[in-house]
Amino acid sequence: MTLDHLPWHRPAAYDDRPCVRDERTELTYRAFAERVDAAAEHFAARGVGRGSVVAVMLPNRVELLVAIMAAWRLGAAATPVNPTFTAVEAGHQISDSGAVLVIDGDNVADLPTTPGGTLPPARTESGDLALLVYTSGSTGRPKGVMLDHGNVDAMIASMGEAIAIGPDDHCLLVLPLFHVNAICVSFLTPMSAGAQLSVLERFHPVEFLRAIESLRPTYFSAVPTIYSHLVALPAEVQADTTSVRFAICGAAPAPPELFAAVEHRFGFPLVEGYGLSEGTCASTCNPVDGMRKPGTVGPALPGQLVAVMAPDGTLVANGERGEVVIKGANVMRGYLNRPEATAETLGDGWLHTGDVGILDEDGYLRIVDRIKDMIIRGGENIYPKEIENVLHAAPDVLEAAVVGGPDPVYGEVVVAFVSAAPNHTVDVDALLARCRAELTKIKVPVALHVLDALPKNPVGKIDKPALRARLSGA
């Protein structure tokens, strides 16, 4: 383990190299390290130490990166919180993680920028908890994925080798930094090589292209929805994208036609990858230089083993369908305070993804289905149970089911079906208002259908395939 991405392990030759910038700030590697030490002193004065957790609830900006590194400087972990969360959603993550300090828009201005030199030498061990990344599950309550520094270091090494990141690279970060994808692929991987990073607070198609023209990045990572917006721009919107040597697409399935359209319009290769938070981000990716297979998410990344497993636990031959399973030093330690969920996901030594896939004769993976009942909206994972819990809490609702409805821009959107409790009438507007009060905007159903009764399968469970078919037919 090298931990070259940490400021206190950087070579002296990096000191004056451009490190990170956003719309407000531009820092060299030396200046970034000073900001980290100053913030760490600030955290230490507020009780943060080894084993603590710091919650960082900020939009994309340099201070978010400083806060994560400052926690690590003290031997603490960071849990990045979606800044658009409602108080209920944020409160659960902050409480469940045991965070002793929250850095948000109200106190980020208090972070000092000049260190006083009061910190002892950093002690960063492979087994130290680095990140608590929250992801939902079948219970509907988000749970903390525990990623230690060994996991993070393995992910950086795996991705860095696969995409050949070097000191002359420059990443344009546009994905939200509460996602491990943005943290690992866009932030930590270039930091490990002395490359530079430019942070965008949000995505706007025209502004994004203007940023490529002015900043001259060599790569970026995004989700299918972003690429759909870019190729949908009017033909007269032109931009010089010749600095970009490749781009990465992940987080949700994308049709091969989208990849062809991006490459035709902008001239750089677009490679598709696959992974999940429990694997510290990515486990497969089509090669930047080499054979890319449309419709697949590529072969296993260096240092990882990706296989397909039958229900009886045996690995199946190439060409056969089964659950995608993963091994490698990037696989999480487990779920925080959830031993049963950890055993279910990791118990046999493999990370069980819940996705159904097929490996071809060259080891390229094709995702063909999902075991888990998950909706992917523009790269955001949404778990229906969390939304169903909110709907079920309404006294006039007897049953509720949430499924993904097809959408030309986002791939899938949230659609809800409910039936009324006896002697009650469902007030759709009131029910949607309840959702807006308790859920992030992307989780609020775009449509809510009231049925006399929800369809059931032969064993009496709500028949979600029938509901999805109803939407597809519509």
Side-chain angles (χ1 to χ4, degrees):
M1 186 180 71
T2 62
L3 301 181
D4 287 343
H5 57 282
L6 299 175
W8 47 97
H9 286 179
R10 74 188 188 283
Y14 290 0
D15 280 356
D16 296 321
R17 293 182 64 88
C19 179
V20 62
R21 68 178 60 79
D22 61 16
E23 296 173 2
R24 309 170 189 84
T25 307
E26 184 165 355
L27 301 173
T28 63
Y29 274 82
R30 178 191 288 111
F32 180 71
E34 290 173 351
R35 288 281 187 100
V36 168
D37 280 359
E41 291 172 348
H42 182 78
F43 290 2
R46 284 150 183 80
V48 177
R50 291 192 68 81
S52 298
V53 175
V54 175
V56 186
M57 189 173 177
L58 293 170
N60 282 12
R61 57 188 295 177
V62 165
E63 289 83 359
L64 190 162
L65 308 178
V66 169
I68 291 175
M69 285 289 191
W72 294 350
R73 177 68 175 81
L74 299 172
T79 186
V81 184
N82 184 340
T84 69
F85 268 178
T86 65
V88 173
E89 292 167 317
H92 167 72
Q93 182 171 339
I94 292 167
S95 172
D96 188 76
S97 67
V100 300
L101 179 67
V102 179
I103 301 299
D104 58 18
D106 293 332
N107 60 21
V108 68
D110 297 334
L111 291 179
T113 58
T114 304
T118 62
L119 293 177
R123 293 189 297 117
T124 312
E125 304 293 339
S126 176
D128 291 346
L129 187 64
L131 291 168
L132 276 173
V133 178
Y134 273 71
T135 181
S136 296
S138 59
T139 64
R141 295 291 282 175
K143 51 188 181 289
V145 173
M146 296 188 292
L147 303 175
D148 59 34
H149 282 284
N151 297 144
V152 173
D153 195 63
M155 185 70 257
I156 294 169
S158 184
M159 180 56 70
E161 180 180 344
I163 59 179
I165 293 299
D168 294 330
D169 274 305
H170 177 184
C171 179
L172 183 60
L173 188 155
V174 67
L175 294 178
L177 275 160
F178 57 84
H179 278 186
V180 75
N181 183 318
I183 293 173
C184 286
V185 177
S186 299
F187 171 40
L188 298 178
T189 297
M191 292 300 98
S192 70
Q196 58 181 306
L197 170 66
S198 293
V199 179
L200 300 182
E201 184 170 339
R202 61 182 63 86
F203 172 75
H204 296 290
V206 174
E207 292 178 12
F208 183 74
L209 291 179
R210 297 292 170 259
I212 291 178
E213 280 197 316
S214 62
L215 296 170
R216 310 298 293 161
T218 61
Y219 82 98
F220 62 90
S221 179
V223 296
T225 299
I226 285 178
Y227 294 108
S228 295
H229 282 300
L230 290 174
V231 297
L233 287 169
E236 60 267 23
V237 178
Q238 299 289 327
D240 180 1
T241 58
T242 55
S243 68
V244 180
R245 64 182 182 92
F246 70 94
I248 302 171
C249 184
E257 294 79 10
L258 178 60
F259 291 81
V262 169
E263 296 191 17
H264 175 75
R265 176 158 184 174
F266 300 108
F268 51 76
L270 180 59
V271 298
E272 185 170 15
Y274 163 80
L276 57 165
S277 299
E278 289 86 343
T280 321
C281 176
S283 290
T284 73
C285 191
N286 272 281
V288 175
D289 299 309
M291 180 173 58
R292 300 197 299 277
K293 292 190 178 185
T296 79
V297 292
L301 291 175
Q304 299 189 48
L305 180 61
V306 176
V308 175
M309 183 177 285
D312 64 3
T314 60
L315 300 184
V316 303
N318 289 351
E320 295 185 23
R321 177 179 304 213
E323 183 183 14
V324 179
V325 292
I326 298 166
K327 279 186 180 181
N330 57 297
V331 172
M332 68 171 179
R333 181 190 300 181
Y335 296 113
L336 179 68
N337 299 325
R338 308 288 174 90
E340 296 86 0
T342 299
E344 181 181 351
T345 305
L346 301 177
D348 62 355
W350 290 93
L351 168 60
H352 287 255
T353 67
D355 291 310
V356 180
I358 298 171
L359 286 168
D360 71 10
E361 66 280 2
D362 298 313
Y364 284 60
L365 177 66
R366 181 162 60 93
I367 303 296
V368 296
D369 204 348
R370 294 197 297 272
I371 297 173
K372 297 176 181 177
D373 190 19
M374 184 173 67
I375 299 165
I376 302 181
R377 178 198 181 275
E380 293 277 359
N381 292 349
I382 300 173
Y383 290 81
K385 189 67 177 176
E386 184 180 6
I387 306 165
E388 290 164 357
N389 289 345
V390 174
L391 297 171
H392 278 132
D396 53 354
V397 170
L398 175 65
E399 292 180 314
V402 172
V403 298
D407 183 86
V409 174
Y410 294 104
E412 291 181 309
V413 291
V414 176
V415 179
F417 294 86
V418 301
S419 61
N423 303 315
H424 283 72
T425 300
V426 173
D427 183 336
V428 172
D429 291 338
L431 203 50
L432 289 174
R434 175 188 286 266
C435 291
R436 284 190 288 270
E438 298 189 33
L439 298 166
T440 306
K441 182 178 180 181
I442 65 167
K443 299 177 187 175
V444 177
V446 301
L448 196 154
H449 303 284
V450 181
L451 305 181
D452 291 337
L454 299 191
K456 307 294 194 304
N457 64 20
V459 297
K461 293 184 178 181
I462 293 174
D463 189 352
K464 287 192 173 182
L467 294 175
R468 294 189 190 98
R470 179 185 182 123
L471 295 175
S472 298

